[in-house]
Amino acid sequence: MKKSYYLFNPGRISRRDNSLKFTPVDDLGAEGAPRYIPVESVDNLYTFGSLDANSALYNFLGKEQISVHFFDHYEHYTGSFMPKDFLLSGKVIIAQTEHYSNSSKRLSIASKFIEGAAFNILKNLRYYNNRDKDTSVQIDTISQMTPQISSARSIEELMGVEGKIRLTYYQTFDLIINDFEMGPRTKQPPSNEVNALISFLNMMCYTLCLDMIHHTQLNPTISFLHQPGYRRYSLALDLSEIFKPILVDRLIFSLLNKRQIQTQDFDHQLNSCLLKENGRKKVVKAWDDKLNETIKHRSLGRNVTYKHLIKLECYKLVKHILNIEEYKPFKAWW
Amino acid sequence: MSVNGTLIQLFHICPREMWLHTHGINMEHTSETVYDGKLLHETSYSQRPEKYTEITLSACFNNIPLTGKIDFYDAKQKIIHETKRSDKAEVAHEWQAKFYIWLLLLNDIPDVQAILEYPKLRTSTTVQLTSHDILHLTNTISTIQHLQQSDKCPDKIQSKICKSCSYYELCYIEE
Ligand code: SF4
């Protein structure tokens, strides 16, 4: 089974036969003991520390279909090395473009993304409402807003509804999370622990979606809800809307409420708050464990990982744009 | 667009699979089956290449271009050898073999037979081409050509073999 590797320390990576050799290098330039990773076990690499590598290495990674995602010192996603497209279908690209450029077809897909997101948000709120966290006001508000999703006449209007839903949803974070205050959502830089976790994990979710899209015939730059080019791979943003409540938000609630992540895991500056290296390791570990959890899928009758759900979502999109079957967004059923 | 042996085989397994394949919707090679297939080729018949030749054929029938690549052809005995991993799709394998025999016939090489071998099961089947088969192949290639040009994906076949098909998840994922 292939897995993601997370490189937290700065160092040098090179090819050694059919393995990747990672040699950590500290601030003073001293090398640590190298680690060997068999290439067939690697799905992708996430690098948080500065990485030294040459083009021969990237040629090798490209051939082995391994992508590399980069994050800067402030935990921002800065970009990816993606292997050359390997599942191309002219038919799918043309159909995807057609569904983007036809405004009613585009709107119909975009509204499905929000519909899925809203459903999964409500699922989270109901879960906590049954566990002594009174989120009933927000449940009502969001439920009343959901009909506006299908009646929206334009992407802008849809984005407006989405914004209002998300605002209402974020109000509940302070009710759900025990010992931390979220306050208003702040992004650059995040102002407190909750905002820091949201920013960091949202980015991990975006990257995951990008990876999954890359394993299908879909083109990640042609999106429906977000404006293509808003971020290079805007289809990954579209998809992550659906999965953030289930993957990111639930993880944040449990990490904080179970005290797996605490104040000392963060680096508090005057008006910013970021995860410390150790905290980041804990979060990434919990994220990775979450993605590998399995559930029995209703229509497939098979166990699938949370991570795999995203690829299945891509399949549904492929079927929709090829007019095989209408797209129904993922809705957590358990 | 031409019709080849792979499409003939896929069509007889599932027209939808053939349609998806023909439109470039291929699944990733993540499963062990690819590896397994490669291994079978390499180990079971390592001594074969000297005795058999690999041939590439083409022909045109009713304005439809036909192509085929036969890995193991014994020109002396006029026998095509095909190795298959499992007999799950035996009928489809037979049609693929018949298509090759027909291709040879269209190239003025009559009286060829095919032997399908299943090394894992230690069995083999002999295949011959009848005039009735030719009729079937004629109809099949025009249906295939029609599907290649069609925007409409054929329905799922809802069969037991779907579970071991590489398109299973694509076909059966719903909500
Ligand atoms: S899963 Fe079944 S219906 Fe789908 S392509 Fe395969 S055989 Fe055909």
Side-chain angles (χ1 to χ4, degrees):
Chain A
M1 178 73 172
K2 291 187 177 214
K3 53 185 184 177
S4 301
Y5 283 86
Y6 302 91
L7 306 172
F8 291 100
N9 300 318
R12 193 172 54 246
I13 193 160
S14 56
R15 175 180 180 176
R16 174 63 67 84
D17 300 324
N18 268 330
S19 289
L20 300 178
K21 178 186 177 192
F22 181 73
T23 317
V25 180
D26 72 13
D27 293 344
L28 303 169
E31 290 188 0
R35 214 174 121 206
Y36 294 90
I37 311 167
V39 73
E40 64 276 4
S41 74
V42 186
D43 192 5
N44 47 41
L45 298 171
Y46 285 78
T47 64
F48 294 95
S50 68
L51 189 73
D52 246 5
N54 60 19
S55 58
L57 189 267
Y58 285 107
N59 285 336
F60 180 54
L61 293 176
K63 225 174 73 205
E64 297 294 328
Q65 303 297 348
I66 297 168
S67 48
V68 189
H69 306 296
F70 298 97
F71 296 82
D72 70 9
H73 183 66
Y74 303 100
E75 297 157 5
H76 293 128
Y77 168 77
T78 53
S80 300
F81 163 78
M82 303 294 280
K84 205 168 78 187
D85 306 283
F86 63 110
L87 290 174
L88 276 178
S89 157
K91 187 96 186 158
V92 173
I93 289 266
I94 290 167
Q96 192 180 348
T97 313
E98 228 171 70
H99 277 77
Y100 162 73
S101 45
N102 177 315
S103 56
S104 77
K105 285 183 181 174
R106 178 181 172 187
L107 187 62
S108 135
I109 299 178
S111 61
K112 299 278 182 55
F113 290 149
I114 304 295
E115 186 191 310
F119 184 95
N120 293 328
I121 283 172
L122 283 170
K123 194 91 191 175
N124 280 356
L125 295 184
R126 293 209 178 92
Y127 174 89
Y128 282 98
N129 202 42
N130 290 334
R131 277 165 186 75
D132 303 328
K133 311 275 189 184
D134 186 4
T135 58
S136 52
V137 177
Q138 287 82 5
I139 292 176
D140 288 345
T141 316
I142 295 176
S143 304
Q144 277 160 21
M145 278 190 273
T146 47
Q148 296 172 26
I149 297 170
S150 50
S151 64
R153 295 297 203 76
S154 66
I155 299 287
E156 293 68 37
E157 205 181 320
L158 193 61
M159 283 294 223
V161 181
E162 191 268 338
K164 276 190 284 175
I165 292 177
R166 190 152 291 275
L167 215 61
T168 314
Y169 177 47
Y170 279 140
Q171 285 168 9
T172 64
F173 278 42
D174 283 342
L175 298 168
I176 294 171
I177 298 167
N178 293 334
D179 300 326
F180 292 87
E181 284 279 318
M182 172 186 168
R185 170 90 181 102
T186 52
K187 289 181 190 171
Q188 283 176 342
S191 58
N192 57 35
E193 294 88 347
V194 180
N195 277 299
L197 282 176
I198 296 176
S199 294
F200 182 65
L201 284 169
N202 277 352
M203 205 166 50
M204 293 299 282
C205 188
Y206 163 79
T207 321
L208 172 68
C209 291
L210 172 60
D211 249 324
M212 292 296 115
I213 293 168
H214 201 73
H215 290 270
T216 71
Q217 281 80 12
L218 292 171
N219 182 317
T221 63
I222 304 169
S223 52
F224 305 99
L225 176 63
H226 295 85
Q227 194 59 35
Y230 166 67
R231 255 200 215 159
R232 185 152 156 65
Y233 302 118
S234 36
L235 184 63
L237 284 180
D238 283 8
L239 279 183
S240 58
E241 289 296 331
I242 303 172
F243 291 96
K244 277 187 314 195
I246 300 298
L247 299 177
V248 172
D249 303 339
R250 283 191 189 185
L251 187 63
I252 293 173
F253 301 151
S254 90
L255 279 173
L256 293 175
N257 284 355
K258 288 184 183 154
R259 296 173 192 277
Q260 284 164 302
I261 288 287
Q262 297 182 320
T263 316
Q264 59 266 31
D265 290 315
F266 296 88
D267 188 6
H268 301 263
Q269 299 283 337
L270 194 56
N271 55 4
S272 79
C273 177
L274 293 168
L275 280 159
K276 277 186 198 158
E277 186 179 315
N278 206 33
R280 202 189 302 153
K281 278 186 185 167
K282 281 198 241 176
V283 173
V284 166
K285 168 90 172 59
W287 168 251
D288 209 49
D289 288 347
K290 176 98 189 172
L291 298 186
N292 290 316
E293 261 175 45
T294 58
I295 49 159
K296 177 116 178 182
H297 199 282
R298 285 188 302 186
S299 73
L300 299 180
R302 282 182 185 171
N303 281 333
V304 299
T305 58
Y306 277 84
K307 180 177 168 174
H308 196 64
L309 287 174
I310 299 177
K311 191 147 122 193
L312 295 172
E313 205 66 7
C314 295
Y315 291 162
K316 288 191 262 172
L317 272 178
V318 167
K319 286 199 282 188
H320 180 92
I321 61 175
L322 292 179
N323 297 322
I324 296 175
E325 214 171 283
E326 199 186 328
Y327 172 62
K328 292 195 194 114
F330 165 77
K331 293 177 176 170
W333 60 81
W334 60 94
Chain B
M1 266 188 282
S2 72
V3 174
N4 62 31
T6 308
L7 293 183
I8 297 278
Q9 190 196 131
L10 288 180
F11 176 80
H12 285 93
I13 296 172
C14 168
R16 182 181 173 101
E17 185 172 355
M18 194 227 91
W19 189 92
L20 289 166
H21 174 86
T22 223
H23 287 94
I25 326 284
N26 298 311
M27 293 290 117
E28 239 183 316
H29 297 301
T30 44
S31 64
E32 296 76 35
T33 52
V34 176
Y35 181 61
D36 199 21
K38 212 167 112 198
L39 210 66
L40 189 81
H41 232 299
E42 282 164 4
T43 56
S44 318
Y45 298 100
S46 46
Q47 72 278 40
R48 283 274 169 92
E50 300 147 33
K51 197 173 149 199
Y52 299 107
T53 45
E54 182 188 294
I55 51 170
T56 311
L57 292 162
S58 59
C60 203
F61 191 83
N62 287 350
N63 278 328
I64 301 174
L66 310 176
T67 59
K69 190 171 149 268
I70 305 170
D71 288 332
F72 300 111
Y73 179 60
D74 182 342
K76 259 193 205 146
Q77 312 248 15
K78 291 197 172 184
I79 293 176
I80 297 168
H81 289 265
E82 278 279 325
T83 35
K84 298 292 177 190
R85 292 177 57 250
S86 94
D87 60 355
K88 251 189 219 147
E90 192 167 0
V91 176
H93 297 155
E94 281 176 19
W95 281 114
Q96 187 186 28
K98 285 177 182 175
F99 174 72
Y100 290 149
I101 300 173
W102 187 42
L103 259 185
L104 285 159
L105 185 66
L106 291 172
N107 280 279
D108 299 321
I109 307 171
D111 305 321
V112 176
Q113 290 187 15
I115 300 179
L116 295 176
E117 301 179 36
Y118 300 93
K120 276 193 160 178
L121 309 165
R122 297 173 193 278
T123 58
S124 61
T125 320
T126 307
V127 180
Q128 273 152 346
L129 185 74
T130 66
S131 54
H132 192 78
D133 293 336
I134 295 178
L135 203 66
H136 172 87
L137 286 170
T138 315
N139 291 333
T140 305
I141 57 165
S142 75
T143 313
I144 288 177
Q145 198 193 35
H146 183 75
L147 278 175
Q148 282 177 326
Q149 286 156 4
S150 162
D151 271 341
K152 197 181 167 320
C153 176
D155 289 338
K156 294 186 284 241
I157 56 170
Q158 311 270 8
S159 142
K160 232 170 52 195
I161 65 153
C162 291
K163 290 229 164 183
S164 52
C165 174
S166 64
Y167 292 104
Y168 175 74
E169 292 188 337
L170 177 87
C171 285
Y172 288 89
I173 182 69
E174 278 163 17
E175 199 163 340

